């Protein structure tokens, strides 16, 4: 039993921290709320750092690292609200890698910027593959594909796609003649419309993608690879959230020690102390769940759905509580743009509604447990 | 990231598992559905089970070999706990003696005390209870008022009242915290004793808990005469002995597998028609399941820390908060989906539903844990206190005045 970081992992984490220091991403998150051109494009940073190929096998042109390694990077991004397209790129890279696709190396090296269109595998209650609806609570259907040789023709729409408008190619999960298939589409192909969006948290560019007879190339990935892409995305979002909470707690603690009311530091009042301990409790739980998710990714494929859903559910809950506690510990200033707290709150509010939502992850945990999956 | 045992631990686990496979049919059912009804019979069956565990080397795993222990590390103890829980058999009857009192005797006891108490404790022949809490001293344990008065020959006479004493009704000994000097500040005038429960002047009265069972007791002490060699640690050094006990309490709560698992509660939900399809039930089960899985992996992280030579600090209490909180919520969910039958003592869930609200207080209340973790882990300032440096007798006089 050894869960401590290896030297290589420590190095990866330090390197990530260093790479992300070059730009004040938190300040940029505030500026971009008013002027979206102020959002730094960190694409170059992530390509230079080799993060696009983190999860791609060495044969597929990547670094062949594990999910925990990618999560270490994601945590660093979450700490500073860095607009780094990990959650959109890495799942796509894993699908291409699993298929031994010719585009794998170009995606791993960052030569080709690809965005993965989220597609959720069925659950015990939802027999179809689905995507997020534009609004409301009913899950939406996947785009459909007709296939002719290696060419697929797609129609349908996928909403709230991370980094869609910045990508050169889209990896679509579509309903094919015999079940879900992966299709790689050029973002500028005819029949593809990407409506770029900025919502609430300026560090997460989004897009609505419409496919109207758009043609792309079928990727020879099996359904398992498509499922794993979803689970990897859940794990990475969870890791970003853990990083964000990890960064918030020390700030709240420092303020709770320094701010005095009624002749005492506010951190001595139990009403605040106990809330901060609750944040610590949820954070530590979420960290434990990241370990489970990463372990299942490499060692227990049958538990991957449960493990990543639990990681996402736990991390999003921690993020929700932590960002709210951050505001209340800081009193009035915590609710204003004078402080960073609102930026973190915006991050939590938006991400809790993306990629199936925090509630969807919690529901999937229940489904897996009810279906008889026993966690390690 | 390696969740596997190292070769030595794996071998130990295999040994433990194969012994349990061979003997688990002999284990008595001591709580919940199907438990042995008659209390005396139940305790004796449980005692016999502890003896078997001890003979197989599954008790006192971390105790020195010269006192009958296995001389192994905390990791092996955790492995034993995990395997007991996996085999769904009870641990030893005397979890308080083995988990806390024995280890404290190993740290603070004289050679003679270790020889006298540890062997019989290990085998369940003599159960040991914890005589700490009093009607007016629980969280504020250093406020105990049970008095031990030194006699001319060096012996002591002890008078006072203890309460919530788990297992006192069948204990042979109790480790008791008493005040030997009321004229110094409260943490200073304390002494720890090992008291025979059959000494003249001791009365044990059962206290019924929510479930209706009486697992804990009030213990009255009226001029109980004990010799000088019953002092555990130093006269006046009782607080330091108490802190040792509380440290082991933390370790023992944190490393025990309470035996409530996400999959067990999921199976309960499945047994209620329609519950598995209900979105709200699923959200509640998903949250509870997530917390339970998190505590399982927190346990793995603990093992990894222990293997790296790190001892559990106060942050460890968070694990207890999570386990108790999630099991309380799961019990509540099951009562909602199964209806009033779930509340019955005989039901699979009755024990959990009735016992856990008390477990929130046992071994340090949730509020006290949050205070301690807030101060010692997060470094937040303590609350102002009005008892620091004040002689205990003066403090009590002040309290009286305030209430009046
Ligand atoms: C199932 C069970 C088994 C037990 N077994 C034993 C045993 O074997 N031996 C033994 O000695 N004891 C035992 N106890 C007693 C247990 O240790 C005490 O109940 C516990 O320490 C709390 O003390 P109290 O009951 O006096 O409550 P109090 O200390 O009076 O607390 C009452 C309430 O006030 C809160 N409170 C107190 N101080 C503070 C503070 N500073 N800040 C915020 N809130 C505060 C508490 O959290 C609690 O909610 C057992 C208890 C239970 C429930």
């Amino acid at each position: 039993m050894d869960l401590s970081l290896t030297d290589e992992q420590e190095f990866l984490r330090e390197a990530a921290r260093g790479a992300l220091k070059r730009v004040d991403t938190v300040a940029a998150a505030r500026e971009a709320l008013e002027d979206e051109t102020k959002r730094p494009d960190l694409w170059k940073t992530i390509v230079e750092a080799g993060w696009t190929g983190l999860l791609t096998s060495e044969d597929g042109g990547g670094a062949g690292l594990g999910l925990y390694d990618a999560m270490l990077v994601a945590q660093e991004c979450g700490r500073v609200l860095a607009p780094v397209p990990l959650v959109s790129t890495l799942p796509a890279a894993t699908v291409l890698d699993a298929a031994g696709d010719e585009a794998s190396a170009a995606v791993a090296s960052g030569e080709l910027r690809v965005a993965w269109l989220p597609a959720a595998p069925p659950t015990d209650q939802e027999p179809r593959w689905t995507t997020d609806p534009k609004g409301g609570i009913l899950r939406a259907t996947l785009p459909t594909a007709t296939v002719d040789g290696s060419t697929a023709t797609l129609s349908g729409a996928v909403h709230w796609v991370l980094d869609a408008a910045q990508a050169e190619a889209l990896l679509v999960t579509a309903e094919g003649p015999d079940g879900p298939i992966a299709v790689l589409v050029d973002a500028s192909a005819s029949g593809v419309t990407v409506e770029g969006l900025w919502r609430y948290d300026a560090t997460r560019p989004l897009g609505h993608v419409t496919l109207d007879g758009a043609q792309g190339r079928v990727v020879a990935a099996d359904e398992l690879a498509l499922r794993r892409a979803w689970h990897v995305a859940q794990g990475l979002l969870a890791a970003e959230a853990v990083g964000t909470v990890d960064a918030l707690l020390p700030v709240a603690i420092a303020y709770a020690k320094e701010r005095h009311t009624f002749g005492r530091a506010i951190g001595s009042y139990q009403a605040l102390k106990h809330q901060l301990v609750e944040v610590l409790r949820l954070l530590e739980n979420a960290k434990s769940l990241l370990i489970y998710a990463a372990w299942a990714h490499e060692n227990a494929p049958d538990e991957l759905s449960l493990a990543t859903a639990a990681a996402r559910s736990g991390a999003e809950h921690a993020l929700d509580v932590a960002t709210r506690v951050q505001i209340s510990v800081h009193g009035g200033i915590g609710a204003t743009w004078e402080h960073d707290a609102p930026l973190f709150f915006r991050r939590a509010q938006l991400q809790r509604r993306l990629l199936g939502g925090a509630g969807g992850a919690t529901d999937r945990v229940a489904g897996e447990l009810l279906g008889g999956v026993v966690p390690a | 990231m390696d969740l596997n045992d190292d070769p030595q631990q794996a071998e130990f686990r295999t040994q433990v598992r194969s012994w349990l496979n061979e003997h688990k049919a002999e284990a008595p059912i001591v709580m919940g559905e199907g438990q042995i009804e008659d209390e005396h019979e139940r305790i004796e069956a449980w005692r016999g089970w502890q003896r078997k565990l001890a003979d197989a080397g599954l008790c006192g795993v971390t105790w020195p070999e010269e006192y009958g222990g296995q001389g192994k590390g905390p990791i092996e103890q955790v492995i034993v706990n995990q395997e007991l829980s996996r085999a769904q058999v009870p641990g030893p009857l005397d979890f308080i003696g083995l988990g806390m009192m024995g280890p404290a005797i190993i740290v603070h006891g004289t050679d003679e005390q270790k020889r006298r108490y540890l062997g019989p404790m290990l085998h369940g022949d003599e159960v040991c209870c914890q005589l700490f809490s009093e009607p007016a001293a629980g969280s504020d344990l250093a406020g105990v008022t049970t008095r031990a008065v030194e006699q001319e020959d060096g012996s002591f006479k002890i008078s006072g009242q203890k309460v919530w004493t788990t297992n006192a009704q069948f204990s042979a000994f109790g480790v008791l915290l008493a005040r030997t000097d009321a004229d110094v500040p409260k943490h200073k005038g304390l002494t720890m004793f090992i008291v025979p429960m059959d000494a003249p002047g001791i009365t044990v009265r059962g206290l019924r808990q929510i479930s209706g069972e009486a697992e804990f007791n009030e213990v009255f002490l009226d001029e109980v005469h004990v010799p000088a060699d019953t002092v555990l640690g130093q006269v006046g050094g009782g607080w330091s002995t108490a802190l040792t006990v509380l440290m082991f309490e933390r370790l023992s709560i944190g490393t025990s597998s309470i035996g409530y698992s996400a999959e067990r509660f999921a199976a309960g939900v499945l047994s209620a028609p329609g519950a598995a399809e209900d979105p709200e039930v699923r959200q509640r089960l998903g949250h509870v399941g997530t917390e339970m899985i998190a505590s399982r992996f927190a346990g793995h992280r603990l093992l990894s820390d222990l293997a790296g030579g790190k001892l559990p600090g106060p942050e460890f209490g968070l694990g207890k908060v999570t386990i108790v909180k999630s099991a309380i919520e799961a019990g509540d969910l099951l009562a909602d989906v199964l209806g009033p039958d779930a509340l019955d003592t005989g039901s699979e869930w009755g024990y959990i539903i009735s016992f856990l609200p008390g477990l929130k207080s046992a071994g340090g209340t949730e509020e006290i844990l949050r205070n301690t973790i807030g101060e010692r882990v997060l470094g937040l300032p303590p609350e102002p206190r009005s008892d620091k440096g004040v002689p205990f007798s003066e403090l009590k006089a002040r309290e009286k005045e305030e209430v009046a």
Side-chain angles (χ1 to χ4, degrees), chain B residues 6 72 193 212 219 259 344:
Chain B
D6 71 24
K72 296 191 184 329
F193 295 88
V219 177
D344 279 355

Side-chain angles (χ1 to χ4, degrees), chain A residues 1-3 68 124-125 257 268 270 273-274 278 281 284-285 288 292 295 359 363 366 370 374-376, chain B residues 1-4 263 270 277 282-283 291 296-297 301 304 322 325 370-371 375 378-379 381-384:
Chain A
M1 178 83 43
D2 184 5
L3 299 176
Y68 202 69
D124 61 327
Q125 295 299 303
K257 286 188 196 172
S268 69
Q270 287 185 14
K273 187 179 287 170
H274 290 190
E278 179 66 1
R281 186 181 77 81
E284 290 300 319
N285 280 350
S288 297
Y292 181 33
W295 176 80
D363 186 81
L370 290 164
V374 176
Chain B
M1 184 176 327
D2 184 3
L3 278 188
N4 298 319
E263 61 270 22
L270 265 182
E277 294 86 47
R282 293 168 66 88
Q283 284 297 308
E291 291 230 317
R296 196 172 295 194
F297 274 78
R301 285 170 72 194
S304 167
T322 295
K325 184 177 171 303
R370 287 186 191 268
N371 285 349
E375 285 156 30
L378 299 184
E383 287 188 291

Side-chain angles (χ1 to χ4, degrees), chain B residues 130-150:
Chain B
Q130 177 186 23
L131 294 162
F132 282 21
S133 303
E134 296 183 2
S139 303
D140 190 6
L141 181 61
V144 293
T145 55
T146 292
R147 285 299 311 263
V149 181
E150 190 165 2

Side-chain angles (χ1 to χ4, degrees), chain A residues 13 17 68 71 74-76 78-79 237-253 274-292 310-323 325-326 344, chain B residues 290-291 293-295 297-298 301 315 318-319 321-322 325 370 373 377-378:
Chain A
R13 190 173 63 176
R17 204 165 279 188
Y68 202 69
M71 283 174 158
Q75 285 180 62
E76 292 309 316
R79 292 182 78 87
L237 259 185
E240 287 194 355
V242 165
T244 308
V245 178
D246 220 359
L248 285 174
L249 189 55
V251 175
I253 290 169
H274 290 190
Q275 286 185 56
L276 291 167
V277 170
E278 179 66 1
V279 173
L280 176 71
R281 186 181 77 81
L282 296 174
L283 172 63
E284 290 300 319
N285 280 350
K287 285 183 178 172
S288 297
L289 291 164
L290 291 188
I291 290 173
Y292 181 33
R312 171 105 197 263
S313 175
E316 297 280 12
H317 181 48
L319 182 62
D320 186 34
V321 173
T323 51
V325 167
Q326 189 76 348
F344 289 86
Chain B
T290 295
E291 291 230 317
I293 297 169
S295 31
F297 274 78
R301 285 170 72 194
E315 68 275 11
L318 289 174
V321 174
T322 295
K325 184 177 171 303
R370 287 186 191 268
I373 293 164
V377 180
L378 299 184

Side-chain angles (χ1 to χ4, degrees), chain B residues 201-377:
Chain B
I202 293 190
T203 313
V204 178
R205 251 189 50 197
L207 286 171
R208 297 231 283 184
Q209 288 152 273
I210 300 172
S211 66
E213 304 217 16
E215 287 157 317
F216 59 31
N217 306 271
E218 336 179 65
V219 177
F220 300 89
L221 301 110
D222 181 16
E223 301 259 309
V224 177
H225 194 182
V226 295
D229 65 4
T230 58
V231 171
L232 178 60
Q234 303 301 314
V235 173
W239 187 244
S240 122
T241 314
L243 288 180
T244 306
V245 172
L246 298 179
M247 199 270 282
F248 284 117
E249 182 162 31
R250 197 155 68 216
L251 187 65
S252 113
I253 292 179
T255 57
S256 68
S257 324
I258 294 197
Y260 305 135
S261 62
E263 61 270 22
R264 192 171 146 201
F265 288 112
V269 169
L270 265 182
S271 71
E277 294 86 47
D278 183 85
E280 191 202 326
V281 168
R282 293 168 66 88
Q283 284 297 308
R284 289 169 68 186
L285 177 66
H287 277 298
V288 162
T290 295
E291 291 230 317
M292 288 184 178
I293 297 169
S295 31
R296 196 172 295 194
F297 274 78
H300 293 319
R301 285 170 72 194
L302 167 75
L303 271 184
S304 167
D305 282 352
L306 289 173
K310 205 177 129 192
L311 268 181
E315 68 275 11
F316 221 61
L318 289 174
K320 184 203 160 196
V321 174
T322 295
I323 290 173
V324 173
K325 184 177 171 303
S326 56
I328 286 176
E329 284 167 15
D332 197 44
L333 173 60
L334 281 154
D336 280 345
V337 301
L338 294 169
D341 279 349
L343 305 173
D344 279 355
T345 318
S347 108
E348 184 180 0
W349 312 108
Y351 185 81
I352 292 172
I353 291 168
S354 296
F355 184 66
L356 286 186
L359 201 57
K360 233 176 141 172
S361 297
T365 70
E366 184 171 330
E367 289 75 21
I368 294 294
L369 285 174
R370 287 186 191 268
N371 285 349
T372 310
I373 293 164
E375 285 156 30
R376 309 247 306 272
V377 180

